[in-house]
Amino acid sequence: MRLEKLKSRTRSFERLVGLTPAAFDQLVIELELLWEQAHRRFLLRAGRVRRIGAGNTFKLDLGQRLLVTLLYLRQYFTMHVLGLLFDLDAANVCRNIHGLLPVLEQALPAPLRPRTLQAQPDEAPGKASKKPRKIRSLDEFLEVFPGLTDVIVDGTEQPRGQPKVKKGQKPGKKAVGRPRGKKRFYSVKQGTHTLKTQVAVTPGGLSVHLSATASGRTHDMKVLRRSRLMTRLPRHVRVWGDRGYTGIEKVYPDQETIVPAKRPRKGALSQEQRELNRLISKVRITAANVINRIKKFRACKEFFRNQPSRHGVIWGCVAGLVNLRWQRRRHGPIL
């Protein structure tokens, strides 16, 4: 895989990795300093015996390692196939990719992404519960989006494997030979085991927030209450959601929220309510379009083959790549 020859065919290169050659070169420049700092921290880690400079060096330069990572995210090739393309062992390819992903997320305009869900979900006022701690990135969030007035939230799922019994664990009582987490990850809607992510976007189509990874069985409303999104939004921002967020106004009465009307049991919606739902759907469709663009990267669409702990950073990198393409198309190349 010769990088220069690939970049000579602009359209094919963009289809292959998701970026134009010019955007790719700019990203390599921005990655260089971040990678040097991250790699030096890795070499200075506690417990390392060798001096800095000792040991094997990278066979591929930073540009080629970025190409390998983008090919993995966009095409979702196996490590074995990537190893054949770049003359590396599959284990070496895996180390290159997962070592570069956290640095790549920093270099990209990736949305805010908390690493974990709140242990206790936000509760409606009047109930005895601790208020969630406000994350320090709120000020940064407002600096980047000073004129933000609307946020659209939507959840999406990605299939994963059935959980297995880990070494030293005992199977559950009800299902002999199956782990206790099997039911937790089973999504009735999708009919398989999934990982769920909540995406928050602006009406213009820019991703501003990703939730931490949740199990497929978790309800959309519960993910929102544990995602730390509502605690960092200013009061003037309206939040749009689908019917999965019914009841949001009870939990966040100080926030302006817009959710389609739900048909009552053994009843019907009025003509006015149906028309209002159609108008709300015209706004909410932006979130579905953004999720569709994210899932053009097959690492976020197809069967997830990694450890669940790596799901968040992969989605963060892909959302950052989608935001980068959105910025370049809307504002032109940044010189």
Side-chain angles (χ1 to χ4, degrees):
M1 293 288 285
R2 288 182 291 177
L3 180 57
E4 296 304 322
K5 186 173 182 180
L6 286 174
K7 289 196 294 186
S8 65
R9 304 180 64 179
T10 305
R11 186 59 180 164
S12 298
F13 185 83
E14 186 175 4
R15 289 180 178 180
L16 189 65
V17 302
L19 290 178
T20 62
F24 180 89
D25 293 337
Q26 182 65 30
L27 186 56
V28 172
I29 295 173
E30 295 174 1
L31 267 176
E32 286 179 353
L33 180 60
L34 292 172
W35 171 253
E36 289 177 4
Q37 294 173 350
H39 188 54
R40 185 169 182 82
R41 286 195 300 269
F42 176 76
L43 296 178
L44 293 174
R45 70 189 186 276
R48 179 179 166 86
V49 178
R50 290 179 173 176
R51 296 178 182 177
I52 293 180
N56 296 329
T57 58
F58 290 98
K59 182 177 180 179
L60 305 178
D61 59 23
L62 184 59
Q64 290 175 312
R65 277 181 277 140
L66 177 59
L67 177 62
V68 174
T69 305
L70 293 181
L71 279 173
Y72 178 73
L73 295 176
R74 182 76 171 184
Q75 307 298 337
Y76 212 29
F77 293 139
T78 62
M79 302 298 178
H80 178 71
V81 171
L82 289 171
L84 292 176
L85 293 176
F86 290 90
D87 193 22
L88 289 174
D89 186 76
N92 200 349
V93 172
C94 184
R95 285 192 294 270
N96 278 313
I97 291 175
H98 293 297
L100 189 62
L101 280 175
V103 186
L104 178 60
E105 188 179 13
Q106 295 177 29
L108 291 168
L112 301 177
R113 182 179 65 85
R115 299 300 185 263
T116 59
L117 296 172
Q118 288 180 170
Q120 295 295 328
D122 298 338
E123 298 290 346
K127 294 186 178 180
S129 62
K130 271 189 175 181
K131 291 187 177 179
R133 179 176 62 87
K134 290 192 176 181
I135 296 178
R136 59 179 177 81
S137 55
L138 172 59
D139 296 334
E140 183 181 338
F141 180 85
L142 295 176
E143 287 177 8
V144 178
F145 309 106
L148 185 65
T149 57
D150 294 272
V151 165
I152 309 163
V153 294
D154 199 2
T156 183
E157 299 178 56
Q158 182 178 6
R160 56 153 288 172
Q162 177 176 322
K164 298 179 180 179
V165 178
K166 295 183 180 179
K167 189 175 181 180
Q169 288 184 348
K170 294 182 180 180
K173 295 180 180 179
K174 294 185 178 179
V176 178
R178 294 178 180 174
R180 298 175 182 177
K182 181 191 173 186
K183 188 176 180 181
R184 184 164 61 96
F185 286 96
Y186 187 80
S187 170
V188 178
K189 180 179 179 181
Q190 300 294 330
T192 186
H193 301 84
T194 61
L195 297 170
K196 180 173 286 189
T197 304
Q198 177 189 270
V199 185
V201 305
T202 65
L206 183 69
S207 303
V208 294
H209 185 271
L210 285 178
S211 73
T213 303
S215 57
R217 194 177 182 85
T218 311
H219 194 276
D220 287 352
M221 187 62 193
K222 188 173 183 180
V223 175
L224 177 66
R225 291 165 59 192
R226 298 180 62 188
S227 66
R228 299 184 175 93
L229 172 64
M230 302 299 287
T231 58
R232 67 177 63 178
L233 286 177
R235 299 298 183 192
H236 69 273
V237 176
R238 288 185 296 269
V239 180
W240 301 68
D242 57 16
R243 291 183 181 89
Y245 298 97
T246 301
I248 186 176
E249 69 282 351
K250 298 178 182 178
V251 182
Y252 305 102
D254 297 333
Q255 200 86 29
E256 185 178 355
T257 56
I258 301 175
V259 176
K262 195 172 183 180
R263 183 178 64 84
R265 185 175 296 180
K266 297 182 180 179
L269 295 175
S270 65
Q271 182 63 33
E272 183 180 0
Q273 287 176 320
R274 288 198 294 270
E275 184 61 31
L276 181 60
N277 284 357
R278 278 193 286 269
L279 295 176
I280 294 174
S281 297
K282 289 182 179 180
V283 178
R284 290 194 303 103
I285 193 64
T286 304
N289 292 336
V290 171
I291 292 174
N292 182 45
R293 287 195 287 271
I294 290 176
K295 290 195 173 184
K296 285 185 178 179
F297 290 77
R298 295 182 178 178
C300 293
K301 178 183 178 182
E302 296 182 359
F303 185 91
F304 191 71
R305 302 193 303 259
N306 281 277
Q307 299 174 5
S309 59
R310 290 174 174 168
H311 185 263
V313 68
I314 289 176
W315 272 74
C317 289
V318 171
L321 290 168
V322 172
N323 281 349
L324 182 63
R325 288 167 60 94
W326 179 89
Q327 289 179 352
R328 292 180 67 87
R329 288 180 178 179
R330 188 151 188 169
H331 305 291
I334 300 175
L335 302 178

